[in-house]
Amino acid sequence: MRLILFGPPGAGKGTQAKRLEEELGTPQLSTGDMLRAARRGGTELGKKAAAYMDAGKLVPDEVVVGLIEERIQKPECEKGFLLDGFPRTLPQAEALDAMLERRGQRIDHVISIEVPDEDIVHRLSQRRSCPSCGTVYHLEHMPPKEPGRCDKDGTELVQREDDKPETIKKRLEAFHAQTAPLKELYRERGLLKSVDGTKPPDGVHQEIREALGIAG
Ligand code: ADP
Ligand code: AMP
């Protein structure tokens, strides 16, 4: 199954992708995670992306398209993948179409996780993540068992630089201006299913399962 998880920053794409990854056995491809890994690794690409990310702006299309192109060619993506945070612009969506067409593949479903802007700022101020394995927590709703430590590997949790209120507002602006219009594109193709992202994570997961036709 080839899926796109669509939604504003903080909608819960990563949280749901991790669950689906385990359930479906298909890898999560998060351009945000890839860019953060490149920054940690101090690569040229990471350095180039950093200024955009910290300003709450989208990284140039050719950078993220290159990252995705490299990943979907890997054998682990042969049977499917979950795109999380990609595509975010029309040129990215077109580049995705072209790379899938070359491989004789196509997107099966686009799941739009709907959360109003008013909820996003609070949600993201409570987000903490593991810099090592990427597990995401929420201080109120999904706290780690031991405060400040990842349940999976004990690494100290961090707050993302771009989860400050001013930057979150910029990211939401970018979402509405550049990313939200893609919904229409996927709706026209009959691929779009919307789920209520304000429900608790289990409820959102259940709605996604129903949308994918795998609810049992
Ligand atoms: P995204 O990948 O879309 O940016 P995340 O999955 O990182 O979003 O979720 C953003 C924050 O909201 C995290 O702190 C996460 O724990 C929390 N969260 C995710 N899903 C829900 C939900 N359904 N209800 C409340 N909080 C949630
Ligand atoms: P995310 O972890 O998905 O919230 O992404 C964090 C930041 O990485 C975004 O605010 C952008 O600066 C950058 N980014 C991630 N994915 C993309 C993308 N597909 N296109 C452009 N920039 C991206």
Side-chain angles (χ1 to χ4, degrees), residues 31 39 79 87 91 103 106 174 192 196 213:
T31 39
R39 288 182 69 166
K79 295 218 174 83
R103 302 173 59 76
R106 61 183 176 79
L192 190 79
D196 179 1

Side-chain angles (χ1 to χ4, degrees), residues 8-10 13 30-33 35-36 49-50 52-61 64-65 68 84-89 92 124 127 160 162-163 167 171 174 179:
K13 301 182 295 295
S30 157
T31 39
D33 285 350
L35 291 166
R36 282 183 289 278
Y52 294 95
M53 296 170 80
D54 291 345
K57 292 185 180 157
L58 295 184
V59 169
D61 290 332
V64 284
V65 167
I68 289 292
D84 161 8
F86 181 93
R88 265 172 148 113
T89 64
Q92 290 179 26
L124 288 184
R127 170 159 71 181
R160 277 170 46 174
D162 58 352
D163 279 348
T167 320
R171 292 164 63 203
T179 310

Side-chain angles (χ1 to χ4, degrees), residues 114-171:
E114 308 277 336
V115 177
D117 285 8
E118 306 84 86
D119 295 1
I120 297 286
V121 178
H122 175 69
R123 245 194 208 190
L124 288 184
S125 70
Q126 303 287 305
R127 170 159 71 181
R128 298 291 181 275
S129 34
C130 174
S132 169
C133 72
T135 303
V136 174
Y137 299 87
H138 186 283
L139 295 181
E140 287 164 24
H141 307 306
M142 286 172 275
K145 292 195 187 94
E146 188 190 332
R149 298 257 162 218
C150 179
D151 292 351
K152 292 196 179 143
D153 55 28
T155 306
E156 196 174 334
L157 300 178
V158 295
Q159 178 169 28
R160 277 170 46 174
E161 255 317 292
D162 58 352
D163 279 348
K164 296 192 188 116
E166 329 74 85
T167 320
I168 297 169
K169 287 197 188 109
K170 293 265 163 27
R171 292 164 63 203

